[in-house]
Amino acid sequence: METQLEEIRELQKASWDKFSPGWKKWDKLMMEFLKPVGDEIVRSINPKNTDFVLDIAGGTGEPGFTIASKGGMVVITDLSEKMLEITKEYAKERGIKNIETRACDVCELPFADNTFDAISCRFGFMFFPDMLLATKEMVRVLKPGGRIAVAVWNGPEKNFWVTAIGGTINRNMQLSPPSPEAPGMFRCAKEGLIRGLFQQAGLKNTSEKEVAGKLNSGTADVYWNMMTEVAAPFVAALSQADDAMKEKIKSEVYQALAEKYPDGNIIIDSSAIVIYGEK
């Protein structure tokens, strides 16, 4: 792997390790928020009770756990060992026996060709240093006739849950926008982008579907606390601001939420795209 890609991978690994406690703290809220997307992935790959399934960038366990509930065997992978520690803890608590975990990089999957019946990946693609290489690796380990479904975020105009804080930070701190090619939340939002990668890697019968969701944070405090404990880019940006700037940003985020949700009930719409293909 190129040195630059390795550097990105190591930075991401350190970041996800660092934020794993935040993901554990907010797991219930986040998993309820992300459930419609996970459900669409599971519906798309339609796992059978004899299937061997690979869940990539599995985080704290979903949608791998839901796939495991259908039977078969699921290997949940992630770049972060600390995220997978949470997965193992939750699996033990819930008595889920038909999963195993593996810390690895999607661009160098430690599995033989034609191993898995299906592959899932919920919100990992945006962060893969080389998305085509990642896609080719997934296709390599997928059996002929195997199914793959992945989810990415739609554009910023449909995801106020990100832009409420992200836009306010960028506006106040005059941060340079990242390169469209750089890992980031909306990197894969362009219509047909991932579908094109699928086709380039040899997948057929490709399709994409928009899936709506709602982040039911309830209060501005919950929204602010969660986003500043799980979202690495926002935490990194705020760490560069002095106390006065942090307070200004927080105040403006609260104001934006109050204007959009005058009744004080903060339930924010989201939009994702689920892309499907077959080998």
Side-chain angles (χ1 to χ4, degrees), residues 224-241:
W224 174 265
N225 291 334
M226 185 196 74
M227 293 298 284
T228 54
E229 289 178 22
V230 303
F234 304 145
V235 178
L238 289 169
S239 71
Q240 300 171 39

Side-chain angles (χ1 to χ4, degrees), residues 23 26-37 153 158-165 185 211-228 230-231 234 257 261 264-271:
W23 278 89
W26 295 103
D27 189 73
K28 186 173 185 293
L29 178 58
M30 286 301 291
M31 291 308 104
E32 285 174 359
F33 171 41
L34 301 178
K35 188 176 186 299
V37 176
W153 290 113
K158 293 186 174 184
N159 284 291
F160 183 66
W161 72 279
V162 177
T163 58
I165 184 168
M185 290 292 284
V211 179
K214 290 185 182 295
L215 175 59
N216 190 359
S217 46
T219 68
D221 283 339
V222 167
Y223 171 78
W224 174 265
N225 291 334
M226 185 196 74
M227 293 298 284
T228 54
V230 303
F234 304 145
L257 293 171
Y261 307 98
N265 192 17
I266 314 297
I267 303 175
I268 312 178
D269 290 333
S270 71
S271 174

Side-chain angles (χ1 to χ4, degrees), residues 3 14 24 44 47 70 91 112 114 144 166 196 204 223 225 235 271:
T3 304
K24 186 175 183 182
S44 297
K70 310 292 182 183
N114 308 319
K204 58 195 178 190
Y223 171 78
N225 291 334
V235 178
S271 174

Side-chain angles (χ1 to χ4, degrees), residues 50-91:
T50 54
D51 279 351
F52 192 27
V53 181
L54 175 63
D55 182 46
I56 291 172
T60 59
E62 285 290 355
F65 290 157
T66 300
I67 295 168
S69 73
K70 310 292 182 183
M73 184 70 195
V74 183
V75 179
I76 300 175
T77 69
D78 200 279
L79 197 56
S80 167
E81 301 250 12
K82 290 190 182 300
M83 293 292 268
L84 291 177
E85 284 172 13
I86 299 170
T87 298
K88 286 185 275 192
E89 182 183 329
Y90 287 167

Side-chain angles (χ1 to χ4, degrees), residues 21-224:
W23 278 89
K24 186 175 183 182
K25 176 180 175 181
W26 295 103
D27 189 73
K28 186 173 185 293
L29 178 58
M30 286 301 291
M31 291 308 104
E32 285 174 359
F33 171 41
L34 301 178
K35 188 176 186 299
V37 176
D39 287 349
E40 179 58 28
I41 287 174
V42 176
R43 188 200 66 77
S44 297
I45 63 170
N46 190 24
K48 311 293 190 294
N49 63 6
T50 54
D51 279 351
F52 192 27
V53 181
L54 175 63
D55 182 46
I56 291 172
T60 59
E62 285 290 355
F65 290 157
T66 300
I67 295 168
S69 73
K70 310 292 182 183
M73 184 70 195
V74 183
V75 179
I76 300 175
T77 69
D78 200 279
L79 197 56
S80 167
E81 301 250 12
K82 290 190 182 300
M83 293 292 268
L84 291 177
E85 284 172 13
I86 299 170
T87 298
K88 286 185 275 192
E89 182 183 329
Y90 287 167
K92 189 175 179 181
E93 285 175 4
R94 299 169 196 180
I96 302 170
K97 302 273 178 53
N98 56 328
I99 66 117
E100 59 183 70
T101 63
R102 186 82 174 260
C104 62
D105 180 5
V106 66
C107 292
E108 295 177 321
L109 290 172
F111 307 108
D113 297 358
N114 308 319
T115 296
F116 297 97
D117 296 288
I119 296 176
S120 59
C121 178
R122 184 173 69 176
F123 302 125
F125 250 88
M126 306 90 65
F127 304 112
F128 298 156
D130 186 326
M131 294 191 293
L132 179 58
L133 179 58
T135 307
K136 287 178 175 177
E137 271 291 273
M138 290 184 194
V139 173
R140 178 183 68 76
V141 302
L142 191 63
K143 290 178 183 176
R147 299 92 60 204
I148 180 170
V150 309
V152 298
W153 290 113
N154 218 325
E157 70 284 354
K158 293 186 174 184
N159 284 291
F160 183 66
W161 72 279
V162 177
T163 58
I165 184 168
T168 306
I169 289 171
N170 291 344
R171 186 173 63 250
N172 276 279
M173 299 185 67
Q174 293 161 351
L175 301 176
S176 302
S179 159
E181 301 299 314
M185 290 292 284
F186 303 124
R187 179 191 187 198
C188 301
K190 184 179 177 185
E191 187 178 350
L193 175 66
I194 301 300
R195 197 174 177 185
L197 289 175
F198 274 20
Q199 292 165 351
Q200 206 176 332
L203 293 171
K204 58 195 178 190
N205 298 331
T206 59
S207 62
E208 56 182 55
K209 179 178 180 178
E210 183 173 1
V211 179
K214 290 185 182 295
L215 175 59
N216 190 359
S217 46
T219 68
D221 283 339
V222 167
Y223 171 78
W224 174 265

